Every structure is written in C-alpha cells, then in structure tokens.
Amino acid sequence: GVLLWSIGVTLVAQAPKTTKDGIYIAEQSTRGEVIYKGKCSSCHGDDLTGGAFAPALVGDAFFEQWSGKKLSDLAGEIKDTMPADKPGSLIPDNTTDVLAYVLQSNSFPPGAAPLSNDVAVLAQISIAKP
C-alpha cells in the first residue's frame, strides 16, 4: 500500500501543469495591465482583441494559435518581438507581468504563487483553453 501511495504522489508531483492551474498572482496581472496599456494596446487593442497588424491576445483567435504550446513560447514571443517599435526592450519581470495579464484576460484563475520568469519553468506549462 505504501509503495502504491508513493507512486501516486510521484505521479501527481510530475503531472504537467497548464494555464488552468492558477500559475500567476493577481498582483502580476494588475502590473501587467499597466504595462500592456502603455506598450501593447496601441497595436493589440485596449480589449486585447487585436488590430490591423497585431493578433488577438484573447478568445478563439488566441487559442487557435497558442493552445497546446508551452507558456515559454508565448513568453519568448513577447520578450523577443514586443513592443513592435522597440523589440526586446521589456525586462523579464515586465514580460511575466504582461503574460499574467493575458492569462487573466482569458479567464485563467490566479493562484497563490507568482508566475516565474524562468524559461525552464515556463516550458513546463502548457497553454490550455479554459
């Protein structure tokens, strides 16, 4: 019985995380909203629905592009290519905060621990439609 319990605990500990698992805190999303409004909304829209040249960051269009991919992929896209007029200018914490705002805007629940800006940690989290 103890062996089966320890195997079960190990499997739970190794269960893949998704964006449904409360992987950011509300404070990150609040900070991310401020950054988004200052650096992202002019292209992606105040409501994150996209614009003429920028993709939507919410809803079905967002999930068509990102479902099943790793959160590290989205974080890398933000870090390396945004904002469009100054790519790569966001510091890692700003990138993570914007990412938390995108998650919150897509109805993913906040959790108890902040979202890490460590690429290896983000690579363990899959984007899953809520």
Side-chain angles (χ1 to χ4, degrees):
V2 171
L3 177 60
L4 289 176
W5 177 83
S6 71
I7 291 171
V9 168
T10 301
L11 289 175
V12 168
Q14 294 175 352
K17 278 193 164 192
T18 74
T19 47
K20 297 178 187 181
D21 293 328
I23 57 166
Y24 68 95
I25 58 173
E27 292 82 12
Q28 285 178 304
S29 176
T30 300
R31 290 190 308 262
E33 182 177 11
V34 172
I35 297 163
Y36 178 88
K37 286 181 177 178
K39 298 187 180 282
C40 313
S41 65
S42 62
C43 293
H44 291 278
D46 289 338
D47 58 1
L48 290 83
T49 57
F53 302 104
L57 300 175
V58 293
D60 291 338
F62 173 79
F63 289 108
E64 284 175 22
Q65 176 161 356
W66 292 103
S67 282
K69 294 183 180 174
K70 299 297 183 183
L71 206 51
S72 57
D73 297 330
L74 180 54
E77 183 82 8
I78 294 168
K79 180 183 79 64
D80 296 338
T81 66
M82 296 294 123
D85 63 345
K86 227 175 161 186
S89 64
L90 293 176
I91 63 170
D93 286 344
N94 289 162
T95 299
T96 304
D97 290 348
V98 169
L99 192 53
Y101 178 60
V102 170
L103 294 172
Q104 182 268 323
S105 297
N106 279 288
S107 301
F108 291 112
L115 181 61
S116 172
N117 63 23
D118 183 333
V119 175
V121 172
L122 297 176
Q124 301 300 314
I125 304 168
S126 295
I127 299 171
K129 193 171 182 178

